[in-house]
Amino acid sequence: MAHHGINDYYLAKTKAATTLGVVDKGALPNNREIEAALQTAARLFGGDEHRQRLARMRDCAIAVMQTLPQFSPRAVGAVVSGALGATTAVELHFFSEPPEMVAMALLESAPDMIVAESRVRYTAERTEIYPAYRFDVDGTEVDVTVFPIDAQRQAPLSPVTGKPMKRLTAKALSELEEELD
């Protein structure tokens, strides 16, 4: 995941198992162990390059969130945890009804955005699909998932921990960024 641009934990585990000839899938690490290893590798081997990349990604996230505060944006994922892979994007959650309002606002600054869908899990039995928009900001990929306004109260489950995602406001992300300095 750190070097080959794979962002999906299941796909990374399957590829590693095939490469290593592991047939017992129970012998593979869980997502939390993988994220911890990514964070450790970044600290040990990433050095200044990792810190600078994380700072750029956090600055990008803060800039996008401050540009569109009307959608109550929250940063999630690797930009919060610091567990960056080779192709990690800035992940943001926006809240709007209708979701097309976000698309109209983004078109002004990201006319080449890609419209997609994002699948999020709330419980073992409940998965929802929401509109998503992907675009580039000065070389940094940004993924925005648009939730209904009332979804602010319940964060989806993290694919890493299985617990509710940690969602940070621009101010909280800025404070986290200050800890890097």
Side-chain angles (χ1 to χ4, degrees), residues 1-156:
M1 291 180 77
H3 303 292
H4 298 289
I6 299 173
N7 291 321
D8 181 272
Y9 286 88
Y10 178 77
L11 180 60
K13 286 191 260 190
T14 302
K15 183 175 180 178
T18 302
T19 301
L20 298 171
V22 175
V23 291
D24 179 13
K25 303 292 187 212
L28 297 174
N30 64 39
N31 293 355
R32 191 175 309 169
E33 292 168 327
I34 293 170
E35 182 174 58
L38 285 170
Q39 290 171 331
T40 300
R43 275 194 312 277
L44 293 174
F45 306 113
D48 287 338
E49 183 181 328
H50 175 265
R51 281 188 290 282
Q52 290 169 3
R53 182 169 172 237
L54 181 57
R56 278 193 312 274
M57 290 180 72
R58 286 179 174 170
D59 289 345
C60 175
I62 291 165
V64 171
M65 293 191 308
Q66 288 176 338
T67 302
L68 298 164
Q70 68 270 34
F71 301 115
S72 304
R74 301 293 187 266
V76 297
V79 76
V80 172
S81 72
L84 305 179
T87 60
T88 302
V90 169
E91 293 178 71
L92 302 174
H93 289 177
F94 280 24
F95 304 90
S96 175
E97 291 179 38
E100 293 79 18
M101 289 177 62
V102 173
M104 290 186 295
L106 286 174
L107 275 175
E108 293 177 27
S109 58
D112 295 333
M113 75 178 174
I114 296 169
V115 178
E117 291 181 335
S118 182
R119 182 181 307 269
V120 296
R121 182 175 302 282
Y122 286 98
T123 66
E125 299 81 30
R126 181 176 164 228
T127 300
E128 299 283 340
I129 297 174
Y130 295 113
Y133 304 100
R134 294 190 177 107
F135 53 95
D136 183 271
V137 176
D138 298 325
T140 300
E141 184 179 336
V142 179
D143 290 347
V144 172
T145 301
V146 183
F147 294 80
I149 292 172
D150 64 354
Q152 290 182 58
R153 290 183 234 130
Q154 182 184 9

